[in-house]
Amino acid sequence: FDVRWCRGTISETIFNPWSQKLTEQGAVKIRGGVKVTGIEEVGTENGQFRITTQVGDSIDCDAIILAVGGMALKRLVPFSPPLHSLPGAKEWQRFR
């Protein structure tokens, strides 16, 4: 078991370079610090989603990565029907 500590913050040494690389490739759009209030499936094909944010923006996408804690996930699930069918979704309501 090997432990290494970052020189600087985790954001500076890991997340910012990773986000920059993904964004430069044009494959993703990262919206940190934006509260998601709902997720819905749109279109006729699976894998097309619309995210609604707290400020009223709607974002259409084909994939979603949620970097949230248990309580935030617990609050989001009731407003996001596509999350209901995911394995383990019923257990999310027990998160604290």
Side-chain angles (χ1 to χ4, degrees), residues 26-79:
V28 298
K29 182 175 183 180
I30 297 173
R31 302 269 313 257
V34 176
K35 184 176 180 181
V36 173
T37 56
I39 300 171
E40 61 181 308
E41 257 183 304
V42 296
T44 57
E45 298 177 27
N46 286 337
Q48 295 177 354
F49 302 97
R50 178 167 295 132
I51 299 170
T52 307
T53 69
Q54 184 177 24
V55 296
D57 293 338
S58 290
I59 303 166
D60 291 342
C61 57
D62 59 4
I64 304 165
I65 299 173
L66 299 171
V68 298
M71 287 301 294
L73 182 60
K74 183 178 177 178
R75 288 190 300 267
L76 180 60
V77 169
F79 303 101

